Amino acid sequence: MSLQSKDRESRHLEQEIRDVTLSTLCALVQLLDLKDLTTGVHSSRLATWSVTICKLMGLSADETRQVEIAAILHDLGKIGVPDEILKKPSRLTPEEQAIMRKHPEYGWAVIKNIPGCQSASLVILHHHEMWNGNGYPAGLKEESIPLGARIVAITDAFDAMTTDRCYRKGVALTGALETLERFAGTQFDPQIVPVFADFLRAAELHSHT
């Protein structure tokens, strides 16, 4: 086989792997929607915001793609959480909360096995870590937390605050941004919060002009 033929065959194999990976990810998104449609919509918003942050921070196309995959599938592990806990309309008990907190590990265990998604799987695993080390599952601190996980943590918290839940109303954009800024340096990366806040405020200002 000529070198040119080998090169063509290699490119063809790489494209097949990418196609299979994309199909697998799309299937997982559909599975997540079957479990909880609101979770799927929530994940789509996170992906849009997270990609925007990546671009504003100058991340590479590959890094941005990994963060996008993670944002879309960050709650995949909730498929392993019983519905009576996942959809409970009131506050979770400590025992129920411990079960809910396993979902990043469940998601990581699935995604890490998909070719080309290892970085995304680590973002999924660590998106509930906190800048001060008080998060889970590993209690990572500051820049030991993967950058993508720090990005998704911010967009996830913002969407949670601004979305209506069965037990409370969502807060306004201004209030949610003020909360992010108040916890920058404790719960959230203090370098990323201003990037996201400036973007949202500019978008809000533009929508009113």
Side-chain angles (χ1 to χ4, degrees):
M1 183 182 292
S2 68
L3 185 61
Q4 189 175 24
S5 296
K6 286 183 178 180
D7 186 52
R8 275 200 307 269
E9 184 175 329
S10 177
R11 288 200 303 271
H12 180 68
L13 181 59
E14 288 175 0
Q15 184 59 51
E16 283 189 340
I17 292 172
R18 283 195 293 269
D19 289 345
V20 169
T21 298
L22 180 60
S23 298
T24 302
L25 294 174
C26 287
L28 290 172
V29 170
Q30 289 180 315
L31 187 62
L32 189 57
D33 282 346
L34 286 174
K35 177 72 170 180
D36 184 355
L37 182 59
T38 60
T39 296
V41 174
H42 160 70
S43 297
S44 296
R45 288 194 295 266
L46 258 62
T48 299
W49 290 330
S50 297
V51 166
T52 297
I53 292 173
C54 288
K55 291 178 178 177
L56 290 171
M57 294 180 65
L59 272 64
S60 69
D62 183 60
E63 289 172 314
T64 300
R65 181 173 178 272
Q66 292 292 317
V67 173
E68 182 178 22
I69 291 169
I72 291 171
L73 294 171
H74 74 288
D75 276 341
L76 178 66
K78 287 183 177 179
I79 291 173
V81 177
D83 280 351
E84 58 267 26
I85 295 176
L86 185 63
K87 299 179 180 180
K88 186 177 179 180
S90 56
R91 187 178 297 276
L92 300 180
T93 66
E95 294 77 17
E96 291 169 335
Q97 198 168 61
I99 294 171
M100 178 68 88
R101 286 188 170 193
K102 300 295 288 185
H103 80 268
E105 296 172 70
Y106 297 156
W108 165 78
V110 173
I111 300 302
K112 71 183 179 68
N113 296 311
I114 299 176
C117 293
Q118 284 70 35
S119 293
S121 74
L122 291 175
V123 173
I124 291 169
L125 178 63
H126 296 298
H127 75 277
H128 280 294
E129 305 285 0
M130 294 184 185
W131 185 254
N132 62 7
N134 289 338
Y136 63 90
L140 299 184
K141 187 176 182 180
E142 298 181 357
E143 293 185 359
S144 63
I145 305 168
L147 176 59
R150 286 178 263 148
I151 291 172
V152 173
I154 290 168
T155 57
D156 190 22
F158 176 80
D159 194 62
M161 285 187 282
T162 54
T163 302
D164 290 343
R165 299 293 170 89
C166 56
Y167 50 88
R168 62 154 175 81
K169 291 284 291 181
V171 303
L173 180 143
T174 301
L177 290 181
E178 287 174 352
T179 298
L180 289 180
E181 290 167 337
R182 185 164 67 252
F183 289 101
T186 53
Q187 183 172 348
F188 307 113
D189 186 322
Q191 303 301 316
I192 301 175
V193 168
V195 174
F196 187 47
D198 289 349
F199 161 72
L200 286 178
R201 287 192 174 107
E204 178 75 1
L205 184 63
H206 181 73
S207 70
H208 292 298
T209 58

